[in-house]
C-alpha cells in the first residue's frame, strides 16, 4: 500500500523546533512534504496574500538522510496550504498537519491562530487536517512528551477519516505526562488587551499590544478545562460559521417589508 | 436619550468610498467614531499585530461640519477594533459596523474577510456588530442603492439586540434595487486558485494568487442563492467554531486508552 502523503506546515516558520518535531513524528507514518512560512506568522489568523507577490523555494533545513521535501514560502500559513495543493504537490495529500505551535490555540485563540488557519484551509479543500499546539511559548519548549499522542491522533484521523466540514484543534498541556485525551468544545473567553503606549523619537504615538486571556466559561466539557486538568484537548472545529440557531431570531426583526 | 455610539471600521482603508458611505449613513442614527486601517487590508482574515508596533493618529478625512472623530491605524481591522475599545473610546459602543466592503464576503469568503474579522472582534467583546459588503469590487462602486437597507439593518440591530455570540454578515447585490432582505446560512464553496508563476529579474520564482470561486451548494436558503436572486443576504455568524455534532463521532475514535 502506498504510504499516506502528509502535508506539514505551521505558523512559527520553517525552522521552528515545533515543526521539526512534527516532521520527525510524521515521517514514522507516511511520506512528508513540508511547505511552511519563511518567517514567523503568529497572529495571522486566516490572512492570505492578495495583490502582493508570493515567493517560494525548495530548501534543505535538515541534512540527514531521508530528510523530507521542504519548501519555504513568503506568505501566510493559509498561503502555504494553497501553494502546496495547487503548485507543489503532484497528488492530494491524505492529511495536513500544522504545528506544533509554540503556545496555546485553545478557546477564542482559534480565531487568531495561523496554525489553525492552515488546517482550516486544508479542511475547506476536503482534506483531513489537524492543528497541534503546545501550551508553552518558549522557542526551546520540550515537544518530546507529546509526540506519542500526536502520532496517535494523526493515525486515528487517517483510519477514521474526518467528519465532513471539520478539522481538529489539538492543544497539549505543558506537563511531563498528559493524563489522556478529551474531546471538547471551545471554551468561551476573550483577551483583555492592554496597549502599551510609547512615543517614537520623531514624536509619533505607537502601541504594543499586550494583554491577558480571560476565561468566561465554567463548563467541564471545554478545552480550557481539559488542559487545566492535565489532558490533551481535541476540539472539532468547523468553517461553516453560520449561527443556525439565530436565523429564526433574526427573521423576527422588522426587515421584510420594503 | 443619548444617541447610540457607533464604531465604524473597514478593511479597505480609511479613505475608501464604501467606508465614507457607511459613515454618512451612520451619522443619521448616532454618534460616529471611525477607527480604520491607514491602508487596504483585504484578505487579512482575523490577523492581529503581535510583536510589532501599531501606529495610530487622529485624522481629518472629511472637512465638512459635523465630521465624525476619525483615527487611522497602521494595523489590521481586528487591531482597529481592539485599539478603539481599549484606547480611543471612552465608553463602550452600542454597535460596531464594518465596511461597506468593496466586494463580496459571502460563503467561505467570511473566513478570509478583514471586514468580517472587525465585526467578529467586536462580537467577541459582546458588542453588537455587523459587516457590510457590496458585491462590486470597483473603487467607484455605487453605494447609494444599498444605504437604505444598511440603515434599516443597523436600526433593527440596535432595537432588538444581537443573539448572544453572533454577528451579522450582510452582503448586498450589485443591482439598482435589491428585492428585499433574506436571512440565510453560509453557502458551501471554495476557491479554485491558480497561481500565476513568474521569475524576478534576479532569478527568483514568485507567484500571483488568482482564482475563481466555486459554489458547492444548491440550497435555496444560502447567501449565494439570495444574492443570485437579487436579495440582500444576512448570515448570522458565530465565533464558537466548535463542530458540536462531531464530538460524539471523534469520541468513537480509539484515543482514550493510554
Amino acid at each position: 500500500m502506498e504510504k499516506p502523503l502528509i502535508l506539514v506546515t505551521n505558523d512559527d516558520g520553517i525552522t521552528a523546533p515545533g515543526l521539526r518535531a512534527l516532521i520527525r513524528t510524521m515521517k514514522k507514518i507516511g511520506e512528508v512534504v513540508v511547505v511552511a512560512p519563511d518567517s514567523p506568522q503568529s497572529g495571522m489568523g486566516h490572512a492570505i496574500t492578495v495583490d502582493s507577490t508570493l515567493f517560494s523555494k525548495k530548501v534543505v533545513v535538515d541534512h540527514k538522510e531521508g530528510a523530507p521535501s521542504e519548501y519555504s514560502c513568503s506568505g501566510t500559513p493559509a498561503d502555504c496550504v494553497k501553494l502546496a495543493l495547487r503548485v507543489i504537490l503532484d497528488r492530494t495529500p491524505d492529511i495536513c498537519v500544522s504545528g506544533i505551535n509554540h503556545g496555546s490555540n485553545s478557546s477564542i485563540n482559534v480565531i487568531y491562530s495561523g496554525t489553525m488557519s492552515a488546517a482550516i484551509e486544508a479542511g475547506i479543500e476536503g482534506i483531513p487536517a489537524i492543528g497541534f499546539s503546545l501550551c508553552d511559548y518558549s522557542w526551546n519548549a520540550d515537544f518530546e512528551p507529546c509526540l506519542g499522542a500526536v502520532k496517535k491522533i494523526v493515525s486515528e484521523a487517517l483510519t477514521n477519516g474526518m467528519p465532513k466540514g471539520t478539522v481538529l484543534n489539538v492543544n497539549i498541556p505543558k506537563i511531563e505526562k498528559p493524563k489522556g485525551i478529551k474531546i471538547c468544545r471551545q471554551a468561551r473567553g476573550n483577551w483583555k488587551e492592554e496597549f502599551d503606549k510609547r512615543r517614537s523619537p520623531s514624536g509619533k504615538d505607537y502601541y504594543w499590544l499586550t494583554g491577558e486571556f480571560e476565561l468566561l466559561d465554567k463548563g467541564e466539557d471545554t478545552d480550557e478545562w481539559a488542559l487545566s486538568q492535565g489532558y490533551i484537548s481535541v476540539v472539532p472545529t468547523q468553517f461553516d460559521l453560520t449561527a443556525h440557531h439565530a436565523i429564526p431570531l433574526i427573521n423576527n426583526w422588522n426587515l421584510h417589508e420594503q
Side-chain angles (χ1 to χ4, degrees), chain A residues 226-244:
Chain A
L227 291 163
S228 74
Q229 301 297 308
Y231 289 92
I232 294 169
S233 67
V234 175
V235 177
T237 297
Q238 64 190 12
F239 38 87
D240 174 2
L241 306 191
T242 312
H244 290 274

Side-chain angles (χ1 to χ4, degrees), chain A residues 24-244:
Chain A
R24 284 199 304 280
T25 308
M26 292 304 99
K27 280 182 63 187
K28 297 175 184 169
I29 299 176
E31 180 192 345
V32 172
V33 176
V34 181
V35 184
D38 58 15
S39 62
Q41 297 281 325
S42 292
M44 282 308 282
H46 210 96
I48 52 173
T49 299
V50 286
D51 287 339
S52 181
T53 54
L54 202 58
F55 286 83
S56 178
K57 60 180 178 187
K58 193 158 187 178
V59 294
V60 179
V61 178
D62 182 347
H63 288 271
K64 291 197 202 94
E65 196 184 356
S69 294
E70 301 202 29
Y71 300 81
S72 72
C73 171
S74 63
T76 66
D79 288 328
C80 289
V81 172
K82 285 181 185 289
L83 197 71
L85 300 182
R86 305 294 183 215
V87 175
I88 294 171
L89 298 175
D90 51 17
R91 61 184 169 107
T92 303
D94 296 287
I95 196 164
C96 171
V97 293
S98 178
I100 302 170
N101 193 58
H102 294 242
S104 167
N105 280 312
S106 58
S107 182
I108 196 65
N109 298 299
V110 67
I111 293 271
Y112 306 105
S113 165
T115 304
M116 282 305 297
S117 81
I120 288 171
E121 187 61 41
I124 291 169
E125 293 298 316
I127 297 161
I130 309 176
F132 291 101
S133 306
L134 179 65
C135 298
D136 183 345
Y137 289 89
S138 160
W139 194 252
N140 300 312
D142 183 10
F143 290 93
E144 282 306 319
C146 72
L147 298 180
V150 168
K151 182 162 175 273
K152 181 184 250 185
I153 293 167
V154 173
S155 300
E156 283 295 306
L158 285 166
T159 303
N160 294 286
M162 200 67 76
K164 191 172 173 168
T166 67
V167 301
L168 300 186
N169 182 16
V170 178
N171 283 275
I172 302 155
K174 180 191 173 181
I175 54 177
E176 190 53 42
K177 193 168 164 47
K179 283 188 199 165
I181 295 169
K182 293 271 187 208
I183 319 302
C184 307
R185 65 174 172 85
Q186 173 188 326
R188 282 190 309 110
N190 61 13
W191 281 85
K192 290 292 155 215
E193 289 88 6
E194 289 178 20
F195 284 92
D196 181 350
K197 182 174 179 176
R198 303 190 183 183
R199 184 155 286 184
S200 77
S202 66
K204 287 183 190 161
D205 289 336
Y206 69 96
Y207 301 86
W208 291 99
L209 174 59
T210 68
E212 292 206 341
F213 175 71
E214 185 176 46
L215 180 61
L216 301 170
D217 195 322
K218 293 185 175 161
E220 300 197 344
D221 55 349
T222 72
D223 50 2
E224 288 294 326
W225 183 86
L227 291 163
S228 74
Q229 301 297 308
Y231 289 92
I232 294 169
S233 67
V234 175
V235 177
T237 297
Q238 64 190 12
F239 38 87
D240 174 2
L241 306 191
T242 312
H244 290 274

